[in-house]
Amino acid sequence: MSDSTEARAELAGRVVDLDDVDRRLLLELRRDARASVNELAGLANVSRSTAYQRLERMRRQGVLGDSSVEVDPEAVGLDVAAMILIDLEQGSWRDLLDDLRSLPGLEHLAFTTGAFDAVALVRVAGVHALRDVVLDHLLGLESVRSTQTVFVLDEWRADPVAAVLEGA
């Protein structure tokens, strides 16, 4: 587990106190993750040293996670996206966690309430690959009772964090 993952785990359920400068740094970093500390400092009207110290503090507190690059899945051949709703044997989710996390094409996994116990967003190269994920990988697990697959036809990502940082 990385240091930032551990910090986020320790912070689960706690809200970190952020002031206007912290929020501005985070907003600008979300707008352009490649911005230098000097650029971020200028946009937040603080010194480079202040910006650096605050970014490091927010990393330690788990506010900022590991950096990553966003890649268009379709551009690399992952043309099919689907939400797979998963019905599990009661109490088995902890035993299945590693198997579920290793599903081919898994982008997001959440345990839920309601008719299904988990939902997985997968991105794969085609319908045959999706078939293999559902029939071979999921339904091949003893504690998976059933699945329901919903194809994603189009998608849009909201940014609720930006709204919070902007004070909306």
Side-chain angles (χ1 to χ4, degrees):
M1 192 179 322
S2 71
D3 290 340
S4 63
T5 303
E6 289 174 6
R8 282 195 303 277
E10 290 173 14
L11 283 171
R14 292 187 292 174
V15 177
V16 175
D17 189 27
L18 303 173
D19 66 14
D20 289 342
V21 172
D22 293 334
R23 284 191 292 277
R24 179 64 187 232
L25 288 168
L26 292 171
L27 271 171
E28 296 303 335
L29 196 53
R30 287 179 67 83
R31 286 186 182 125
D32 182 3
R34 296 175 296 180
S36 69
V37 174
N38 282 338
E39 291 171 313
L40 294 170
L43 292 166
N45 294 317
V46 295
S47 71
R48 181 197 175 287
S49 173
T50 297
Y52 179 82
Q53 289 172 2
R54 285 172 178 253
L55 291 168
E56 284 302 310
R57 175 181 46 80
M58 288 187 282
R59 279 187 187 91
R60 282 192 312 274
Q61 292 175 319
V63 175
L64 284 173
D66 295 329
S67 299
S68 64
V69 174
E70 189 173 322
V71 177
D72 179 2
E74 290 182 29
V76 296
L78 301 176
D79 296 330
V80 174
M83 304 293 286
I84 305 172
L85 308 173
I86 308 165
D87 184 23
L88 302 171
E89 293 291 333
Q90 291 302 306
S92 66
W93 71 272
R94 281 188 178 93
D95 297 331
L96 289 173
L97 193 53
D98 288 339
D99 290 323
L100 294 174
R101 284 181 176 162
S102 66
L103 283 175
L106 181 69
E107 180 174 315
H108 183 81
L109 175 67
F111 291 98
T112 60
T113 62
F116 292 92
D117 302 299
V119 61
L121 170 61
V122 297
R123 295 187 187 277
V124 292
V127 175
H128 291 98
L130 180 61
R131 174 204 60 206
D132 293 346
V133 169
V134 174
L135 297 179
D136 295 340
H137 295 278
L138 279 171
L139 293 176
L141 296 172
E142 186 175 313
S143 296
V144 173
R145 291 194 291 210
S146 67
T147 64
Q148 182 175 336
T149 303
V150 180
F151 282 92
V152 174
L153 301 176
D154 201 358
E155 57 191 311
W156 174 78
R157 291 181 187 237
D159 191 357
V161 172
V164 169
L165 293 174
E166 291 170 349

